[in-house]
Amino acid sequence: MNALAITFRSALRQAVLQFKEAGSDSPDLDAAVLLCHVTGLDRAGVYANSNRRLSEEEEVLFRELTRRRRGGEPVAYITGRKEFMGLDFMVNRAVLIPRPETELLVETALKLMPAASTVVDVGTGSGAIAVSLAFYNPGALVYAIDCSPEALAAARRNAAENGVAGRVFFYEGSLLDPLSGVLQPGQADLVAANLPYIATGDLSALPGEVRLFEPLLALDGGGDGLEHYRRLIPQAEIYLKKGGALLFEIGFNQGRQALDLLHPSQWKASVVKDLAGLDRLVVAEYLGCGPG
């Protein structure tokens, strides 16, 4: 690239070729998002001004960002932003990047939540689930929990930026432990959880941009990937009201095992598949019964 000589069109073309060589699954989108970040334009603006030339400062920055992307760094960490449920979230290396498939959890929760709801989001990370639930259900009070203070800092910022800080309350700790003395038993309408569910032995097989850049704490689900959910379910039975819902995201091959964690005398549970037809979400109604 020559300073003051390269157009948007040329910059995109060169970046796409580099990203393809580096093995990106979405080279065109990656290039467009980075150029939007550099220029301050949306994608329509970038394409509408394809003959405009980058300034020297823009070109230097774009070259640096494309270098980072060629090295495998996720675009969301490079730009510091990620869209989820139509909302804009700040992300950094302390939080898992929100995935489109997790929108299934939010959409399902919104259908199940009463107009005025008490909701718990366990392992909130960037706050994508908690903030989205509060944003799209103005009557909801959301209690968001994470064991990482750095993640909670990001989530608080996202709640403020999306205008729901007054209805999302953040707590640091393990699973539902921080709710002791905060919520009464049987008070919650819904517990949502996107906890780590990758089996420890499978972590090394994850794509490099996940394994090398995203927080291990948000990925490692123990021996079979379901250890955190084994601990969560008995706690959810304390805080959910009769007829309340527990929703948790799982891996594509964990549906049967996940259902086995929920005793049929206490839960009415099913697995919801994602758009690819893969197991993605467990939806369980708490029957309010004692141990079977």
Side-chain angles (χ1 to χ4, degrees):
M1 298 181 185
N2 297 318
L4 302 178
I6 189 167
T7 63
F8 286 7
R9 180 185 292 108
S10 296
L12 286 171
R13 183 169 59 249
Q14 292 182 34
V16 168
L17 290 174
Q18 293 172 10
F19 295 160
K20 284 181 177 178
E21 291 175 357
S24 170
D25 292 331
S26 54
D28 295 273
L29 178 61
D30 292 352
V33 170
L34 292 180
L35 191 57
C36 289
H37 181 68
V38 166
T39 62
L41 299 171
D42 60 17
R43 290 176 66 188
V46 163
Y47 293 127
N49 293 277
S50 60
N51 290 322
R52 198 191 103 179
R53 297 183 184 279
L54 288 126
S55 70
E56 184 173 2
E57 293 77 12
E58 288 173 337
E59 183 181 343
V60 169
L61 178 57
F62 189 65
R63 291 175 66 173
E64 170 59 17
L65 300 191
T66 55
R67 181 195 63 79
R68 289 168 61 183
R69 181 61 187 135
R70 291 198 311 273
E73 186 173 353
V75 170
Y77 287 153
I78 296 173
T79 64
R81 313 300 301 187
K82 180 66 176 179
E83 185 273 337
F84 180 83
M85 288 294 298
L87 304 175
D88 186 42
F89 289 87
M90 184 277 290
V91 295
N92 56 34
R93 295 282 294 274
V95 301
L96 200 68
I97 299 168
R99 265 59 172 184
E101 53 265 30
T102 302
E103 293 187 355
L104 176 63
L105 186 157
V106 175
E107 291 164 352
T108 304
L110 289 169
K111 293 175 183 176
L112 296 174
M113 292 163 55
S117 300
T118 299
V119 178
V120 180
D121 174 30
V122 193
T124 196
S126 67
I129 292 173
V131 170
S132 297
L133 292 177
F135 185 90
Y136 289 109
N137 184 338
L141 298 178
V142 184
Y143 296 79
I145 304 167
D146 206 286
C147 61
S148 164
E150 294 81 11
L152 287 173
R156 286 190 181 96
R157 175 174 166 181
N158 284 321
E161 289 185 356
N162 285 286
V164 296
R167 293 186 293 109
V168 184
F169 312 101
F170 297 96
Y171 298 88
E172 181 182 344
S174 176
L175 299 179
L176 302 187
D177 290 348
L179 295 183
S180 178
V182 176
L183 292 185
Q184 296 299 313
Q187 186 176 346
D189 294 286
L190 185 141
V191 173
N194 185 13
L195 299 173
Y197 55 76
I198 306 297
T200 303
D202 294 337
L203 292 172
S204 61
L206 291 174
E209 65 181 75
V210 176
R211 186 181 71 255
L212 300 177
F213 292 93
E214 301 203 53
L216 180 64
L217 185 67
L219 297 169
D220 191 349
D224 64 353
L226 297 172
E227 290 187 8
H228 297 295
Y229 291 131
R230 285 190 178 87
R231 295 169 49 218
L232 172 66
I233 290 168
Q235 293 184 330
E237 292 169 358
I238 296 173
Y239 290 102
L240 278 173
K241 61 182 58 175
K242 183 176 181 179
L246 170 64
L247 278 64
F248 59 94
E249 186 170 311
I250 57 172
F252 71 94
N253 60 352
Q254 294 176 326
R256 184 69 263 165
Q257 289 175 283
L259 290 178
D260 288 342
L261 302 179
L262 297 153
H263 199 285
S265 69
Q266 296 165 267
W267 298 95
K268 180 181 178 181
S270 61
V271 173
V272 179
K273 296 184 182 296
D274 60 21
L275 293 176
L278 303 174
D279 291 351
R280 180 59 58 191
L281 178 67
V282 172
V283 179
E285 177 188 355
Y286 182 50
L287 302 178
C289 305

